[in-house]
């Protein structure tokens, strides 16, 4: 990553501390990813992105800024990328997934805040992530209390727009969300200086739908009996999808899906026959949080699906592309985004239905319901999730963890016992 030092300097980054991250990441990636055997060749793209994760894409974004484009940093899958793209803006996901950023977050947040929020705030305030430095505007949302308060702190450091996500999903809530999207569009237009037209929005909707379809193809390949790809590799694709160019993401995911479909017809599997199939449900795993997948896939099981925002919640359901006016398009966006089932909604029966449906579609042997420490929403909903799974005869293991490695051995023992029990 050495070639990018000048760029990082210009971004006002803390180079000394950032250097420490650059030193540990390649080893962590090598141990977790490159140690896998028979990986699909199509993963070479994502390996390349990770190898220069703070270099290649940030450099592209800076180039785009020089050409007058604005970068919007987001933290939640409810924020509609389509609106930003329609105004010739660029979206980059900003959720922090490393313990490295947590201490800087803890300087301003209570320790009893979820690590995702602490890492996200720490990455900005500690000046150790180029993406957080590059974004011209952050877009927050009112999903959980921790995030709401974090936006107030981040908003002192950078322009911040907050979208008010409803707490329920009645028709009036969906209409409210359409209004919120419309207001966001005005903010984006003013910030970028570009008008959003129905044609531009339709084009943006198409681009993001194509990305969703391509990712769904990769996920579909995991439904096969012979698993052509590891869960870890798919997680990496999904994590990078949050900050990559959406058209390139679709192209690369389609290329990977072609290879996986070929592997399925050739009977190629990256796991031995009979490997137990695990679905993960719960809180998102932002890059470089590969901890749980790595433990599961080195404990005799395979992750075949993630019911999370770094999984099916990110790409399932398309936006209706047939709408012709902005009003209709905002409503179509609201309907699609309100179809995401995050634990911040009440009631949230849709999520339970999703989990049971996915367990069947991916033919899972067991479910690991994971909760990031101090996430009250997913922790509480875990009770309903686990009961529903048990009632349907699907073994489930509930886990709470954070970004540290302190509990890795304990988790391994519990997961190994769970996998053995599935046998
Ligand atoms: S749609 S899951 S991306 S809010 S884990 S920060 S909820 S305390 S990340 Fe999320 Fe949007 Fe929901 Fe998905 Fe809060 Fe919980 Fe932390 Fe969370």
């Amino acid at each position: 990553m050495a070639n990018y030092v000048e760029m990082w300097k210009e971004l006002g980054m803390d180079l000394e501390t950032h250097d420490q991250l650059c030193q540990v990441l390649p080893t962590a990636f090598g141990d977790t990813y490159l140690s896998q055997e028979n990986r699909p060749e199509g993963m070479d793209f994502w390996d390349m992105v990770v190898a220069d994760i703070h270099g290649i894409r940030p450099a592209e974004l800076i180039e785009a800024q020089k050409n007058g484009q604005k970068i919007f940093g987001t933290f939640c899958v409810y924020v509609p990328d389509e609106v930003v793209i329609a105004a010739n803006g660029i979206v980059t996901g900003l959720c922090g997934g490393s313990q490295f950023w947590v201490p800087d977050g803890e300087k301003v947040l209570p320790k009893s805040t979820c690590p995702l929020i602490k890492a996200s705030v720490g990455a900005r305030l500690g000046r150790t992530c180029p993406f957080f430095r590059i974004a011209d505007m952050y877009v927050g949302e009112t999903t959980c209390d921790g995030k709401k308060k974090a936006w107030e702190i981040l908003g002192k450091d950078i322009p911040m727009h907050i979208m008010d996500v409803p707490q329920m999903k009645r028709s009036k809530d969906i209409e409210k969300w359409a209004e919120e999207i419309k207001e966001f569009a005005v903010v984006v237009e003013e910030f970028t200086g570009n008008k959003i037209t129905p044609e531009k929005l339709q084009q943006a909707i198409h681009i993001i739908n194509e990305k969703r379809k391509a990712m769904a193809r990769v996920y579909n390949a995991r439904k096969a009996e012979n698993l052509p790809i590891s869960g870890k590799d798919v997680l990496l694709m999904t994590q990078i999808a949050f900050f990559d160019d959406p058209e390139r993401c679709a192209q690369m995911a389609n290329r990977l899906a072609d290879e996986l479909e070929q592997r399925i017809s050739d009977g190629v599997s990256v796991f031995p026959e009979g490997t137990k199939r695990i679905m993960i449900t719960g809180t998102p795993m932002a890059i470089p949080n590969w901890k749980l997948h790595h433990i599961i896939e080195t404990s005799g099981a395979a992750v075949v699906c993630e019911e999370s925002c770094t999984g099916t919640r990110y790409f399932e359901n398309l936006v209706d592309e047939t709408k012709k006016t902005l009003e209709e398009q905002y409503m179509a966006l609201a309907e699609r985004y309100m179809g995401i089932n995050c634990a911040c909604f009440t009631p949230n029966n849709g999520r339970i239905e999703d989990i049971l449906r996915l367990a069947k579609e991916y033919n899972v042997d067991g479910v690991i319901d994971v909760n990031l420490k101090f996430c009250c929403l997913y922790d509480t909903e875990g009770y309903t999730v686990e009961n529903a799974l048990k009632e349907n005869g699907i073994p489930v293991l509930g886990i709470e963890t954070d970004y540290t490695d302190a509990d890795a051995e304990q988790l391994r023992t519990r997961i190994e016992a769970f996998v053995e029990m599935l046998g």
Side-chain angles (χ1 to χ4, degrees):
M1 295 197 209
N3 301 340
Y4 297 101
V5 170
E6 273 312 309
M7 176 178 85
W8 297 329
K9 226 188 252 172
E10 278 170 31
L11 288 171
M13 288 175 58
D14 174 347
L15 293 184
E16 217 172 289
T17 315
H18 180 246
D19 250 12
Q20 294 165 18
L21 181 62
C22 295
Q23 274 160 22
V24 294
L25 201 60
T27 317
F29 185 70
D31 292 350
T32 313
Y33 277 91
L34 305 180
S35 56
Q36 298 180 102
E37 277 172 24
N38 198 17
R39 297 175 73 211
E41 279 176 22
M43 285 309 297
D44 58 359
F45 168 71
W46 289 280
D47 289 352
M48 183 260 299
V49 174
V50 178
D52 259 329
I53 195 151
H54 281 182
I56 299 175
R57 185 63 179 153
E60 280 182 0
L61 294 178
I62 290 168
E63 205 44 44
Q65 278 173 324
K66 284 184 192 153
N67 294 329
Q69 287 185 277
K70 294 283 184 207
I71 317 293
F72 293 77
T74 63
F75 300 84
C76 179
V77 298
Y78 280 102
V79 175
D81 292 0
E82 291 89 339
V83 171
V84 173
I85 293 167
N88 199 28
I90 298 177
V91 180
T92 187
L94 288 181
C95 290
S98 168
Q99 178 61 24
F100 182 81
W101 294 305
V102 168
D104 277 326
E106 285 179 343
K107 285 179 188 161
V108 293
L109 294 167
K111 282 202 165 41
S112 57
T113 305
C114 103
L116 191 146
I117 299 174
K118 288 190 287 197
S120 302
V121 171
R124 169 73 198 184
L125 301 185
R127 296 181 289 115
T128 44
C129 175
F131 291 97
F132 280 80
R133 305 299 307 162
I134 291 168
D136 299 293
M137 175 185 269
Y138 286 6
V139 187
E141 19 52 52
T142 55
T143 44
C144 70
D145 289 353
K147 276 181 162 182
K148 280 189 276 196
K149 292 294 114 181
W151 307 148
E152 292 169 16
I153 295 169
L154 286 176
K156 294 201 170 83
D157 206 39
I158 178 150
M160 161 80 73
H161 175 73
I162 299 167
M163 296 187 77
D164 188 7
V165 177
Q167 306 286 291
M168 297 177 80
K169 291 184 179 173
R170 301 158 299 184
S171 337
K172 64 178 178 184
D173 298 311
I174 298 172
E175 278 162 27
K176 176 187 176 296
W177 188 237
E179 269 308 305
E180 200 63 26
I181 292 175
K182 194 174 158 184
E183 273 177 32
F184 177 49
V186 174
V187 171
V188 171
E189 282 182 330
E190 277 168 9
F191 200 69
T192 57
N194 298 324
K195 195 101 200 101
I196 296 175
T197 63
E199 293 71 32
K200 284 184 185 162
L201 189 51
Q202 191 172 26
Q203 212 178 352
I205 289 172
H206 181 69
I207 289 171
I208 301 298
N209 273 347
E210 290 305 304
K211 168 174 155 175
R212 293 188 181 111
K213 285 188 215 164
M215 293 180 73
R217 275 186 70 200
V218 172
Y219 267 69
N220 270 335
R222 304 164 84 190
K223 295 176 182 169
E225 201 182 322
N226 278 355
L227 284 169
I229 186 164
S230 67
K232 264 192 286 201
D233 277 336
V234 179
L235 176 67
L236 186 65
M237 173 198 78
T238 308
Q239 289 172 330
I240 291 173
F242 280 81
F243 55 88
D244 196 11
D245 171 75
E247 289 176 288
R248 179 172 52 205
C249 172
Q251 190 196 345
M252 291 299 150
N254 274 323
R255 187 178 72 129
L256 178 63
D258 289 342
E259 185 183 353
L260 300 184
E261 285 159 14
Q262 187 59 49
R263 280 184 158 208
I264 293 168
S265 42
D266 295 344
V268 175
S269 178
V270 292
F271 293 101
E273 212 184 315
T275 299
K276 295 297 167 199
R277 303 167 67 93
I278 302 290
M279 174 165 78
I280 290 180
T281 58
T283 43
M285 294 169 183
I287 200 164
N289 181 8
W290 307 309
K291 178 173 156 180
L292 204 58
H293 278 64
H294 183 59
I295 295 175
I296 294 169
E297 296 197 330
T298 50
S299 296
V303 180
V304 296
C305 180
E306 297 83 12
E307 182 279 324
S308 88
C309 290
T310 41
T312 55
R313 292 203 291 265
Y314 186 47
F315 64 80
E316 279 200 328
N317 303 321
L318 303 177
V319 179
D320 186 345
E321 291 185 33
T322 63
K323 304 298 177 196
K324 297 286 175 235
T325 67
L326 286 174
E327 288 294 323
E328 289 172 340
Q329 288 168 324
Y330 293 141
M331 193 45 153
L333 285 166
E335 280 166 354
R336 186 268 159 190
Y337 280 89
M338 281 292 121
I340 303 169
N341 294 311
C342 172
C344 61
F345 284 87
T346 187
N348 197 26
N349 302 332
R351 179 159 175 248
I352 306 299
E353 286 160 22
D354 284 347
I355 291 171
L356 295 176
R357 169 180 57 83
L358 293 167
K360 213 180 256 176
E361 283 178 12
Y362 288 81
N363 193 20
V364 309
D365 295 298
V367 170
I368 296 184
D369 184 40
V370 59
N371 185 54
L372 275 176
K373 216 177 226 167
F374 304 119
C375 176
C376 176
L377 291 170
Y378 281 88
D379 196 8
T380 310
E381 196 157 280
Y383 174 79
T384 316
V385 169
E386 289 170 33
N387 277 346
L389 287 164
K390 282 179 198 154
E391 277 164 22
N392 283 272
I394 303 163
V396 54
L397 173 71
I399 270 177
E400 183 166 78
T401 187
D402 57 16
Y403 289 171
T404 69
D405 275 331
D407 60 354
E409 280 319 303
Q410 194 197 4
L411 285 179
R412 182 174 293 282
T413 309
R414 289 184 64 202
I415 289 167
E416 279 174 357
F418 180 64
V419 174
E420 214 175 294
M421 188 269 291
L422 296 176

